[in-house]
Structure formats: C-alpha cells, structure tokens
Amino acid sequence: MRRVMTAVMGSGVCAVALLGLYVAKRKLGIDVFPGRDMLPDAEIKAAVLGTLALLTFAPR
C-alpha cells in the first residue's frame, strides 16, 4: 500500500511540476521552435480545467 501511495504522490508532483513549467513557458512567451505550435494550448487548457474539475468535484 505504501508503494502505491508513493507512486500516486510522485506522479502528482511530476504533473504539478510539468504544469508549472508549461504555465511559465506561456507567461514568458518562450517559443522553442518559432513558427511551429508544438503544444496545443487549447487542448492543454481544456485538460487542465477538466482535471481540476475532477479533483475539486465541481458541479458542471
């Protein structure tokens, strides 16, 4: 059980770190490949909002 909880918490920490990096990339306007949209912003935003809705149990 302890290994499962460690894995769940570890994956949550990784997800939050990646989300933080992505938000920083957008705020700072960093474009790794100019002219090419490597990360679809609309889809990522929808996925983040959907995940937050699941975690907070917000009514839809």
Side-chain angles (χ1 to χ4, degrees):
M1 184 67 171
R2 177 176 250 172
R3 287 184 183 181
V4 172
M5 290 304 294
T6 302
V8 168
M9 291 190 61
S11 62
V13 168
C14 288
V16 169
L18 287 174
L19 180 61
L21 288 173
Y22 178 71
V23 168
K25 174 204 164 302
R26 287 198 59 195
K27 292 285 183 192
L28 295 174
I30 297 172
D31 197 8
V32 179
F33 298 105
R36 299 190 86 182
D37 189 16
M38 301 300 287
L39 297 171
D41 294 329
E43 287 85 357
I44 291 173
K45 184 177 179 180
V48 168
L49 292 176
T51 302
L52 289 176
L54 286 175
L55 292 175
T56 58
F57 303 107
R60 294 181 183 216

